[in-house]
Each structure stands twice: as C-alpha cells, then as structure tokens.
Amino acid sequence: MIDLAQLGAAVERGDRDSARSLTQAAIDAGQAPQEILDAMVGAMGVVGRRFQAHEVFVPEMLIAARAMKESIALLEPLLVQAGIRPVARAIIGTVEGDLHDIGKNLVAMMWRSANIEVIDLGANVSPQRFLDAARQHEPHLVGLSALLTTTMPAIRRTVETLRQAGVAAPRIVIGGAPVTLQYAREIGADGYAPDAASAVDLARQLLGLQGSPS
Amino acid sequence: MNGRERVLALLDGQPIDHLPLMPITMMFAADTAGVPYGRYALDHRVLADAQCRTAAQYDFDYVSCISDPAREAADCGAKVVWFDDQPPALDEVDALLADKSRLRRLARPDPQAGGRMTDRVQAAALLRERAGAERLVEGWIEGPCAQGADLRGINTLMLDFYDDPGFVHELFAWVIDMELRFARAQIEAGADLIGIGDAAASLVGPHLYDAFVLPYEKRLVDGVHEMGARVRLHICGNTRPLLTSMGTLGADIVDLDYPAPLDEARQAMGPRQVLLGNIDPVRVLRDGTPESVTAAIAACHAAAGDRYIVGAGCEVPRGTPPENVQALTRYAQSTRF
C-alpha cells in the first residue's frame, strides 16, 4: 500500500515524476481510485489556500496542477471503470476582444483540480460561442474572464446572451483584474471571484457541493 | 516651478512647491483627445497630441510615451492582434518563442529601423518638442519578466522557472540588452525618465523574483542611470511580497499598484525612496466620486509621507469621470511645502 499522503505532498510541491510514480504504485497496489483522486484533490486544495495566503505563487500553482493532471491521466481509465465522475461541468473563456488568458487558465486548472470537468473555450470568445458551448455541453458553471476595463462590457453582453437564450440556468462566475462584486451584481452574474483559489470556493458554494477537501 | 522642475526637484531631494502629479493615461488620453486607441498606439503624432492635451487639461507634470506592451515584441516578429479602439495584444497561443531554441537565432530589433519601437522614439522626440521644458517626458520599456512573457508566452514562462532555469536567464539577458538599446534611443530623443513596466513579475513570489527577475531589473535601472536618465518602476498587480526587494533596485520612482499598501512600502524601502500611487483605479478612481478620490489619495499621501507623487495604482481607466481626475490635480496642488 502506498501512503497517499506522500502522493498529496508530491502534488503540492509540483513534483510530477514522484506524483506519477506514486499514482502508478497506488494503482498497482489496488488502492481505491476514489481515494487516490481524493488525495490529489485535497493537495490542490492546500495549494489553493497557500496561494490565497501568498505562500505560493502562480508558477508553484501551475507545476502542482500539472503534476496532478499527469497523474490523473494514469488514473482516468480506473475512474471511468468505477463510474466515478466529475462533480460538475463548466465552460470557461476570456471574453471577446481580450487575449489575456493566464487568469482564465488558473481558474480552469483549479476547477479541474477540484474534480470539475472544464471545457476551455480559450481567449477572445464571443457571446455566441459561449452560448453555443452552453447548449452543447449543458454546464453547471460558466466562467467569464477579462483583464481589461475595455473588455468588461463583453462580460455583460455574454451574460445577457446566455440569460436571454434561456439555456439551462448555469451559474455564471466572473473574474479578472478590473472586475468587482458590484459589477457582477449589476450585470446579473451569480458570483465574482478575486482569484483562482476563491473561484473553487465560489463554485462549491454556488453548486451546493461539500466544502473544500483538506 | 513647472512640472518638469517639480518632479526632478523631488527626485533630487530639493524643495518643491507642491506634490507632483503623474497618473498613467493611455486610453483615457485617447478618449480625451477623441481618437480611437488603435490610432493612438500606431501613430506617435496622435499619441503626442493626446498626451499634451490631457496633460494640459488636468495640469499633469509629465507626458508619456507609454501605449502598450507589444512594441518590442512586434519588432521581434511576434504576432500582434490589433483592435480599432483598445490596445494591441500579443497572441499567447502563437508565441514567438513557443519553440525556445529560436531565441539563439532571434535578432535583436534596431529601435531606429522604422518599426513600432521607432514610432515610440519619435513620440519621445515629439513630446520633448511639444512639452519643452515645461513638463517631464517619460519614455517606456518593458522589464525582463514582462518582455520575456510577451516573447515566450506567459503561461509557458511561469513553468520555465522550474523546468529550465538556464533558459529563463538566457531569455532575460537577451531581453535587457534589447531594452537598454531601446531606452538609449528614447533618451537621445529627449526622454528625461524611462518607465520600466514589468507586469508579469507580480505573478512570482519573492524567491523567484530575487533569483531571476531582480538581477535583470537592476541591470536595466543601472543602465538607464548610466545614460543620464531617471527611472520609474511599475509592476502591475500585487507586489506586496516583493516590496523589500524592489526597494533595493535604486529606481528613482517606485510606482505601486493598489494591492501593495504604501505604508508597508515605505517601511520596506526606507525614507528616501520616492513612491507613486496607488488608489484603486477601478473601484475608487473610475467608480468613486471626487470626494472619495480625494479621501483615498490623502490616505496614500499620509501612508507614503512627502517623498511621494500623486497617481493611481495603474492606468487611469477609460470612462473615469473628468471630475475624479481633477480631484487628483486639486489634491496635488493643494499640498504645500
């Protein structure tokens, strides 16, 4: 049996080689896929909280998420076989006219690390593309990002497009440097997240999921 | 005392009549002049005209060449996406150095070769001509982390810090050589001060900042000083964990974005460092009232002390009410020494 705390620690420090080999060893030892998954989800929860506390920064979050992603790839067939599915589905993108994508990527990564399936639409995504994706994937969550004050109106247009089209009531979360809670309320979004780790807490809250794993 | 004299006197520790006023304006300046931002970024004559009009309307102490971070990268051959009325942007998905081996074959652009860097050099010359000795002229270059991210792709660069530290050093050394040539051309054209924008540096923590970014920012600061100009360092975002290190660079002005408290900056950087900023550009300057702007900038002044220049945390956002910018002017001019 593998000590899954070691796997969690490898994910936390972004040690992709150790994370992969510990995951494979745990699989080979016949440990429950859900327990292996939970160890990694918990580790990314720790990374998220350390990010919020300014103890780790963007590079450390990225390497931790990469270690988890590569390990999950090994685990994926067993998760499917065991009928273990993501807890929710999200679509995410940077809004039309805005090519900045690192904030959106961090949120996508942290949502995935919380076992939320994420369909990443990329940057400079038009309201119509968000609508098409919402119809196709029927997400529980929609994430809209903007870095520029000039592209904030595109967040409003996207929210209006989704609401007016009456797609299956996803919860819409917005974020980005110029975005505020007040703006989220004004345009009818369901929530505002100031950073990627908060976006996980917000998603859990909006979807009525259990609190952050420890 | 005119604007140029006021800023330079403060930097030199000489008496001043009131606090200098140096808010960053780009889209706000274009809107003030009634020109689409795409033209502002493309044509130094449009930029210079808008800067001079805005500085005159709000009595700023300076004019600036700043427009967007894509000038150097464009001249290097990076793919730039243009918009009619917002800043051009680099295509992250198709970054010039997505294949990092390309760096060794990449030629440094000549700032006088007629590209976008030349347009900025021409802006510096035209601003000098238009501002005369009345207002300080600010040139602008990118810092190592920002320019490295523009060339390599910001997501990839963040991983490079761990995956290939040697490449990051090689990239940053390449970048600062290009940036120093760019700074020299702007200084020779008439810039009194060079702004160094290193936005992406706020994404890394103090450990990586000290090991990778600070040594190259230091070479930029020292290089600009050797050319006889002053330096304004501006790192967008939350630099709170980096304040002590930033204070060691010797930048004449440290211009802080709103998440970094000025009292902490003062404590970290000592009594001589000139600080600039840093009211929240969106929540206070754009969305507030003249009264709330005045209260916020007074709080910044109180936290920073008198080695201080009035400004927002970052660019004055498009859509900021003129009366809120006028509140900054009134505050600066109401101070007496």
Side-chain angles (χ1 to χ4, degrees), chain B residues 165-252:
Chain B
F167 170 74
V168 177
H169 283 294
E170 195 181 340
L171 174 63
F172 286 4
W174 190 97
V175 162
I176 64 149
D177 188 58
M178 170 178 71
E179 298 295 352
L180 283 171
R181 292 182 205 198
F182 193 22
R184 182 181 296 282
Q186 293 177 66
I187 292 163
E188 287 173 357
D192 300 295
L193 174 145
I194 295 292
I196 299 174
D198 210 6
S202 63
L203 301 183
V204 307
H207 170 67
L208 291 180
Y209 180 80
D210 288 354
F212 289 93
V213 184
L214 183 127
Y216 297 96
E217 286 181 346
K218 178 72 177 156
R219 280 159 69 176
L220 279 182
V221 172
D222 291 349
V224 171
H225 282 160
E226 283 164 20
M227 295 171 201
R230 315 302 176 103
V231 172
R232 169 190 197 161
L233 175 70
H234 177 67
I235 299 177
C236 303
N238 187 2
T239 53
R240 200 172 182 179
L242 310 178
L243 291 173
T244 301
S245 298
M246 290 165 66
T248 67
L249 284 166
D252 301 272

Side-chain angles (χ1 to χ4, degrees), chain B residues 80-91:
Chain B
V80 176
V81 180
W82 285 88
F83 300 93
D84 288 340
D85 197 20
Q86 67 181 57
L90 291 154
D91 188 349

Side-chain angles (χ1 to χ4, degrees), chain A residues 60 66 97 101 105 150 179, chain B residues 27 86 155 162-163 203 205 283:
Chain A
E60 291 79 21
R66 181 176 63 181
D101 68 354
N105 291 348
T150 42
V179 175
Chain B
M27 283 183 281
Q86 67 181 57
N155 298 275
Y162 283 96
D163 292 347
L203 301 183
R283 294 164 187 82

Side-chain angles (χ1 to χ4, degrees), chain A residues 16 54 57-60 62-63 66 97-99 101-102 105 148-152 177-180 192, chain B residues 27 81 83 86 90-92 154-155 158-159 162-163 203-206 208 238 241 282-283 286 317-318:
Chain A
R16 61 204 294 205
H54 306 301
F57 299 87
V58 170
E60 291 79 21
L62 287 171
I63 60 169
R66 181 176 63 181
D98 202 324
L99 274 78
D101 68 354
I102 192 163
N105 291 348
L148 305 173
T149 51
T150 42
T151 52
M152 281 174 66
V179 175
T180 63
Y192 153 75
Chain B
M27 283 183 281
V81 180
F83 300 93
Q86 67 181 57
L90 291 154
D91 188 349
E92 170 77 22
I154 192 166
N155 298 275
M158 292 295 123
L159 292 169
Y162 283 96
D163 292 347
L203 301 183
V204 307
L208 291 180
N238 187 2
V282 173
R283 294 164 187 82
R286 191 193 65 185
R318 164 170 281 171

